[in-house]
Amino acid sequence: CSSDLRTGKTGPARKLTVDNRKTCERISWQGDLARCEWMLGWLDAAENKWRSAHSHLDAAEATFTRGHMIQELALVHLTRSACHLGERHLDGALAACDRALDLAAPRNYRLIHADALVLRARIALARGDATTARNDAESALQIAEPCEYAWAERDACETLAQAWTS
């Protein structure tokens, strides 16, 4: 699903997620149902459907919080931050990103940590703070490269290039 999102092909990812969600509802798998809600929120965010995205993320966050599903909760905060950035609510974007970092960094969730740093760099760019953007993008690269996390490497390099030209 995530590769479909990265390439902009949300249709196949949405169909699979909706089908999985129906199965999870039928057999009462709450954790997996919440993962489907998160994915639907991510898909809506990719399509700039902010209200729907937040609704799905709210549902996922409630379950992940009750279940102490920390890694998944970090992903919800990261996705919510991206929504806020897309909506140009920079304070909300930064707050949600910081919540994701607070959960990911101390637990060594390196991929989420790298994505959060890239997102925080993008928020800094939107605020006109190129220095912070460069620092966060470089930190993301330092995490992503040893993990061979190509998406974060690419995103960090793109953001770093934008920060150097702004």
Side-chain angles (χ1 to χ4, degrees):
C1 281
S2 63
S3 64
D4 290 339
L5 285 174
R6 300 264 187 191
T7 61
K9 298 177 185 175
T10 58
R14 185 175 300 280
K15 182 183 179 333
L16 177 63
T17 304
V18 168
D19 289 346
N20 284 341
R21 182 176 162 202
K22 289 175 187 173
T23 300
C24 293
E25 286 174 335
R26 190 177 71 249
I27 55 181
S28 297
W29 285 356
Q30 295 306 308
D32 290 327
L33 178 59
R35 286 182 190 93
C36 291
E37 291 292 342
W38 165 70
M39 181 58 70
L40 290 169
W42 193 12
L43 288 162
D44 285 343
E47 296 173 352
N48 301 327
K49 297 177 182 175
W50 309 122
R51 179 172 288 157
S52 180
H54 285 293
S55 178
H56 287 296
L57 295 174
D58 289 345
E61 183 176 359
T63 299
F64 294 153
T65 300
R66 282 191 311 273
H68 303 285
M69 300 170 73
I70 304 301
Q71 185 171 5
E72 290 86 350
L73 190 55
L75 289 169
V76 167
H77 291 311
L78 192 60
T79 307
R80 190 175 307 278
S81 177
C83 287
H84 286 311
L85 180 59
E87 295 169 298
R88 304 297 296 165
H89 298 147
L90 300 183
D91 290 339
L94 185 58
C97 189
D98 285 343
R99 284 193 296 277
L101 281 167
D102 288 345
L103 294 172
R107 291 168 179 85
N108 209 23
Y109 299 155
R110 299 181 67 72
L111 305 185
I112 298 170
H113 191 175
D115 283 339
L117 287 169
V118 170
L119 188 54
R120 195 168 71 179
R122 290 178 175 163
I123 295 165
L125 275 178
R127 289 177 174 245
D129 184 354
T131 301
T132 298
R134 285 192 296 270
N135 290 339
D136 283 342
E138 287 172 0
S139 294
L141 269 176
Q142 290 173 354
I143 294 169
E145 286 175 341
C147 296
E148 297 181 4
Y149 183 24
W151 290 113
E153 287 182 61
R154 183 206 66 180
D155 294 345
C157 286
E158 286 178 359
T159 304
L160 195 55
Q162 290 172 352
W164 278 109
T165 59
S166 61

